[in-house]
Amino acid sequence: MNAELPRMSLLIDGAFVQSSTTTWKDIVNPATQEVLGQVPFATVAEVDQAVAAAKEAFKTWRKTPIGTRARIFLKYQQLIRDHMGELAAILTAEQGKTLPDAEGDVFRGLEVVEHAAAIGNLQLGELANNVATGVDTYSVLQPLGVCAGITPFNFPAMIPLWMFPMAIATGNTFILKPSEQDPMVTMRLVELALEAGIPKGVLNVVHGGEDVVNAICDHPDIKAVSFVGSTKVGTHVYNRASLAGKRVQCMMGAKNHAVVLPDANKEQTLNAMVGAAFGAAGQRCMAASTLVVVGAARAWIPDLVAKAKTLKVGPGNAAGVDVGPLISTAACTRVEGLIESGIAQGATLELDGRKPQVEGHAQGNFIGPTIFSGVRPGMRIYDEEIFGPVLVIVEVDTLEAAIDFVNANPNGNGTAVFTQSGAAARKFQEEIDVGQVGINVPIPVPVPLFSFTGSRASKLGDLGPYGKQVVMFYTQTKTVTARWFDDDTLGHGVNTTISLK
Ligand code: NAD
C-alpha cells in the first residue's frame, strides 16, 4: 500500500476517520490507469458504529424544525454550485466521463438538493374535519429512523444526491455506501454537506463491497435501504433487506429502446440517438442502447453510422472529447467480449469501435461508438445490458410491432419514440409498458418535481427515488383520529360498535 496516496475516510458521528481494515482497493483513472487514491473495505464493526451514531442522532434530528432542515439544503445547493468545477474535475478523473457531462452529473443531483430545500411543501399530511361528531382525523408523515443508500459507479454525484438529501430533509439519519470504484467525488460532496450544516451523526459514510452491503441489509436498526446498481446485486439487496423487515427500493439494470418512425425529424432524431447511445460511453442506466427502426426509417442507418463516426474518443478532461473511457479494464474486456459475441451470433457490425487510437492514452479503457444492425432476441448483445458505447438496431414494419417488441423485453427503465405524429406518440405513450417515456426526448429522466419511475425488471419496490414518491418512501404515515371532550359534552353512553360516534 502506497502511504502517499489519499485514502478515503469513513464518516462516523461527524468525524472523518480512517478505517481499521486491512483491505484497500485502488481508485484508478480509467483514461490513464493512474492510481488516484485508495478506498477501504470497512469492517462490520465500523458499520455498527456508523449505525449507532445515526441512531443516536435521530433522537434529535427527527424533531428538528422544518425551516432548519430546509435551510441546510439551501446552503448546500449554493456550496455545490460554488464547487461545480472542482467536483466535475474529480468526477472525470476517477469515473472517465467528459467534463461537461460530469457537470451534468453534479447538476442533476443538485436539482434534488434544491428540491430537498422545499421540504416544507413536500412533507405535508392531511386533515379531515368532523369525520364523526366532534372527531377529526389527520395524518402526519414521520421519518423512519436510520436509512441507508448503496450507489453505483456511473453517476457518483447524482445518485448519492438522489438519496441522502431527501432522506435527511424528511428527518431521517443516513448511512451512505458509495461505489468503491469512484468514491472521491461522493466524499467531496459529503464534506460540503457537513459544511452546509448537517449535524454530526445525521450523515455517515461507510465504504466497501459485498460484506458492507450485506451488513447494511441485515442491520436491525436500519429501517430502509435505497439501492441503485445492477439487477443481480439489486435483487439480492431487495430480497435480503426485505427479509430483515426493511423498506427497500432498488433501481436496477436496463435495456432502453428508442423507436424511430419514418415521419420523425431525421436530423434531430439521429443527433438525439447518437448522444443518448454513446454519451458517457453508454454507461447510463437510461442510455438509449437499442434502436427500433420502423419501416422506411431503416434507410437512415448509414447516416446514423456516419454521425457516430464523427464522435471523438479520448480522456474526459480533453477539450472536444465526446466519448470517454469505460470505468475499468474489466468493463472494457467485458464489452469487447460482447461485441465479439454479436459478430459470432450473426449480427451485422456496422461500426466497430474496438481498440480506438487515442494519442498518448494507449492504456485507457477506450471503446469507440459501435453499431450492430440485424439484431434479434436470443443474441447476447440484445439480451444483456452492455453498458458500453454499443448500439444495437432492430428493424420492424409498424408502430404496433415496435410496441409489442419493446413490451416483450423484461426491462422497463426508459423508452422513447421519435415521430412528428401526435396520434402515434399518444398511442405509444398509452400502450408502452415502460415506466419512463420520452417523446422526441431520448433520455427521459424526470426532474425532481416528479419521481424516477423505472418499472418491471428495472425496479424492485413500489416507490422510486426523489419527487413525491421518495417522501413516501422515507416516511411512515401516522393517522390520528382525535376527539376532545368539552366538559359540557353529553355522554352517549358505552359504544360497543365499530362505528365512530
Ligand atoms: P453494481 O451492482 O455492481 O454495484 C452497485 C453497488 O453494489 C456498489 O455500491 C457495489 O459496491 C455494490 N456491490 C457490488 N457487488 C456486490 C455484491 N456482490 N453484493 C453486495 N453489494 C455489491 O452496479 P455498478 O456496476 O456500480 O453500476 C452499473 C449498474 O447500475 C448498471 O446495471 C446500471 O443499469 C445500473 N444503474 C441503474 C440505475 C437506475 O436508476 N435504474 C441508475 C444507475 C445505474
Side-chain angles (χ1 to χ4, degrees):
M1 189 162 58
N2 185 342
E4 311 275 299
L5 288 169
R7 291 189 192 159
M8 295 302 100
S9 302
L10 310 177
L11 173 61
I12 298 177
D13 205 16
F16 288 102
V17 293
Q18 181 138 132
S19 173
S20 62
T21 185
T22 52
T23 309
W24 294 78
K25 182 183 177 297
D26 288 343
I27 305 160
V28 178
N29 180 323
T32 62
Q33 310 305 337
E34 180 195 355
V35 177
L36 303 169
Q38 284 165 332
V39 61
F41 278 47
T43 64
V44 170
E46 287 164 340
V47 176
D48 289 344
Q49 285 166 23
V51 177
K55 189 178 179 187
E56 182 62 27
F58 180 64
K59 290 178 187 163
T60 46
W61 183 246
R62 63 179 306 198
K63 295 179 184 158
T64 305
I66 295 168
T68 308
R69 282 182 269 144
R71 277 187 289 274
I72 288 174
F73 292 99
L74 275 176
K75 182 162 182 201
Y76 190 33
Q77 65 80 27
Q78 188 60 48
L79 284 170
I80 294 173
R81 279 175 204 283
D82 293 347
H83 292 81
M84 181 61 88
E86 178 200 349
L87 290 162
I90 299 170
L91 200 163
T92 292
E94 63 179 342
Q95 202 277 344
K97 65 180 70 173
T98 66
L99 280 173
D101 197 30
E103 288 206 8
D105 190 330
V106 178
F107 184 78
R108 294 300 307 251
L110 171 65
E111 290 180 312
V112 183
V113 176
E114 291 168 343
H115 199 60
I119 191 62
N121 296 318
L122 299 171
Q123 197 176 353
L124 295 174
E126 295 175 319
L127 187 146
N129 195 207
N130 288 323
V131 294
T133 306
V135 179
D136 301 326
T137 295
Y138 52 93
S139 62
V140 290
L141 305 183
Q142 295 196 314
L144 301 176
V146 183
C147 300
I150 299 156
T151 58
F153 80 83
N154 65 327
F155 283 98
M158 177 182 82
I159 291 177
L161 292 176
W162 280 4
M163 295 181 183
F164 72 80
M166 288 305 292
I168 290 173
T170 46
N172 300 284
T173 56
F174 206 76
I175 310 291
L176 178 66
K177 205 303 280 175
S179 170
E180 72 283 14
Q181 299 196 78
D182 48 12
M184 297 177 85
V185 69
T186 315
M187 288 312 286
R188 188 70 190 107
L189 282 164
V190 164
E191 286 171 7
L192 294 176
L194 295 200
E195 198 177 323
I198 291 185
K200 78 183 179 98
V202 172
L203 175 61
N204 304 271
V205 182
V206 288
H207 296 286
E210 187 172 355
D211 292 347
V212 166
V213 168
N214 286 341
I216 287 171
C217 292
D218 295 345
H219 203 296
D221 290 332
I222 294 177
K223 304 298 176 197
V225 176
S226 185
F227 171 91
V228 180
S230 64
T231 303
K232 182 168 170 273
V233 178
T235 305
H236 164 77
V237 167
Y238 188 83
N239 291 337
R240 188 156 176 155
S242 298
L243 204 62
K246 301 181 198 331
R247 192 175 286 184
V248 195
Q249 58 171 200
C250 295
M251 309 306 127
M252 307 184 293
K255 195 80 178 176
N256 307 304
H257 297 62
V259 173
V260 174
L261 299 182
D263 72 347
N265 179 302
K266 182 178 167 186
E267 185 65 13
Q268 288 183 357
T269 302
L270 296 186
N271 283 340
M273 277 312 303
V274 167
F278 306 120
Q283 298 173 115
R284 291 179 180 139
C285 69
M286 288 287 281
S289 55
T290 304
L291 170 60
V292 183
V293 283
V294 179
R298 57 172 58 111
W300 299 358
I301 294 173
D303 289 338
L304 179 76
V305 172
K307 210 174 258 297
K309 274 186 186 162
T310 66
L311 296 187
K312 189 173 169 197
V313 181
N317 61 358
V321 164
D322 301 297
V323 179
L326 297 186
I327 185 69
S328 63
T329 53
C332 202
T333 306
R334 188 185 146 271
V335 173
E336 286 169 347
L338 278 161
I339 295 172
E340 276 156 32
S341 80
I343 299 166
Q345 291 187 301
T348 305
L349 186 57
E350 302 272 358
L351 180 61
D352 185 357
R354 286 173 294 174
K355 310 272 182 239
Q357 295 299 311
V358 180
E359 211 183 309
H361 287 80
Q363 302 302 314
N365 311 325
F366 295 105
I367 298 182
T370 298
I371 299 178
F372 279 104
S373 63
V375 175
R376 293 184 310 277
M379 294 179 176
R380 285 185 60 207
I381 53 171
Y382 181 75
D383 293 346
E384 295 181 28
E385 181 184 39
I386 299 175
F387 227 57
V390 182
L391 177 66
V392 301
I393 305 179
V394 175
E395 298 176 27
V396 298
D397 291 329
T398 61
L399 173 61
E400 288 74 13
I403 291 171
D404 288 346
F405 187 84
V406 177
N407 287 348
N409 188 284
N411 295 287
N413 218 30
T415 189
V417 65
F418 289 88
T419 180
Q420 307 260 42
S421 159
R426 190 161 193 290
K427 178 181 172 67
F428 185 85
Q429 168 202 302
E430 288 295 295
E431 295 181 13
I432 208 75
D433 189 10
V434 174
Q436 301 180 107
V437 180
I439 297 174
N440 298 314
V441 171
I443 303 188
V445 176
V447 295
L449 298 172
F450 297 84
S451 300
F452 189 95
T453 55
S455 66
R456 296 200 277 131
S458 299
K459 180 186 189 182
L460 284 167
D462 294 331
L463 299 169
Y466 64 81
K468 291 192 180 105
Q469 292 189 4
V470 97
V471 176
M472 299 309 295
F473 181 78
Y474 284 128
T475 60
Q476 171 67 44
T477 303
K478 185 182 278 177
T479 310
V480 181
T481 300
R483 165 183 284 155
W484 291 98
F485 294 108
D486 205 316
D487 285 350
D488 307 334
T489 307
L490 286 175
H492 293 291
V494 176
N495 174 17
T496 57
T497 76
I498 189 69
S499 301
L500 277 174
K501 284 184 182 162

